[in-house]
């Protein structure tokens, strides 16, 4: 059976800042912005009385990010993601120019965890960067040969 990645869900504290981050830096566009409550979402998440703003953002290549802002429960616990932790570790994006993307993100105060590396097969240049809500992004640039 074949499958494909539908989306990556990210719980955020400030939905407006998160939308701006994905639009400004990576060209994602809002496809759906809705408030979800009621029996369906309560049963799906197992959270009675849940209220969540869901924003689905799409890029030109059909990649999708789903931002979730829970209005009915605490968001005090941070994920504090690390590459070596069980669970969601990172979101990988293929980008056109790693150096210019890193410069742009550094203007916003985000620094890479490492210097960009060339893969063993020489096909990509890659690095990790921690961004909003502690999310780790793996930024990948295909190298022309």
């Amino acid at each position: 059976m074949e499958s494909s990645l539908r989306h990556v869900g990210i719980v955020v504290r400030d939905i407006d800042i998160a939308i701006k981050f994905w639009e400004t830096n990576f060209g994602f566009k809002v496809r759906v912005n809705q408030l979800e409550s009621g029996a369906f979402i309560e049963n799906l998440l197992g959270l009675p009385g849940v209220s969540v703003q869901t924003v689905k953002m799409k890029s030109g290549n059909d990649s999708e990010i789903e931002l979730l802002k829970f209005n009915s429960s605490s968001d005090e616990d941070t994920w504090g993601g690390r590459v070596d932790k069980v669970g969601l570790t990172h979101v990988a994006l293929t980008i056109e120019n790693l150096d210019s993307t890193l410069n742009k993100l550094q203007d916003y105060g985000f620094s890479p965890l490492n210097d960009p590396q060339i893969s063993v097969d020489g096909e990509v240049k890659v690095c990790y960067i921690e961004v909003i809500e502690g999310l780790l992004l793996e930024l990948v640039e295909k190298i022309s040969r």
Side-chain angles (χ1 to χ4, degrees):
M1 174 167 82
E2 279 193 37
S3 62
S4 62
L5 180 66
R6 184 176 180 90
H7 66 261
V8 174
I10 305 166
V11 175
V12 299
R13 285 190 179 94
D14 187 318
I15 199 85
D16 296 324
I17 288 174
I19 290 168
K20 184 176 179 181
F21 175 82
W22 290 102
E23 284 178 336
T24 302
N25 294 297
F26 298 104
F28 280 78
K29 302 293 180 207
V30 174
R31 184 177 69 76
V32 172
N33 186 342
Q34 64 187 6
L35 184 62
E36 295 184 90
S37 61
F40 169 76
I41 196 73
E42 288 178 13
N43 291 330
L44 178 66
L45 300 179
L47 295 172
V50 71
S51 171
V52 59
Q53 183 177 356
T54 304
V55 177
K56 295 182 182 193
M57 302 184 76
K58 196 168 197 159
S59 76
N61 65 358
D62 293 332
S63 297
E64 196 164 280
I65 299 287
E66 181 180 69
L67 304 174
L68 304 150
K69 168 63 175 127
F70 284 86
N71 301 314
S72 58
S73 57
S74 172
D75 60 3
E76 293 304 313
D77 294 331
T78 58
W79 171 55
R82 285 183 34 171
V83 167
D84 60 351
K85 291 292 183 186
V86 173
L88 176 67
T89 59
H90 65 281
V91 172
L93 299 176
T94 300
I95 57 174
E96 291 183 19
N97 186 311
L98 180 58
D99 294 328
S100 68
T101 300
L102 286 176
N103 287 336
K104 186 176 182 180
L105 290 171
Q106 286 176 325
D107 288 345
Y108 289 100
F110 302 114
S111 298
L113 301 180
N114 57 346
D115 291 330
Q117 304 290 307
I118 304 298
S119 63
V120 175
D121 62 10
E123 293 188 10
V124 297
K125 184 176 176 182
V126 61
C127 79
Y128 281 92
I129 187 166
E130 184 175 346
V131 294
I132 60 171
E133 310 296 358
L135 177 68
L136 291 176
L137 287 182
E138 177 183 3
L139 300 176
V140 182
E141 174 187 344
K142 292 181 183 177
I143 298 174
S144 302
R145 289 187 182 207

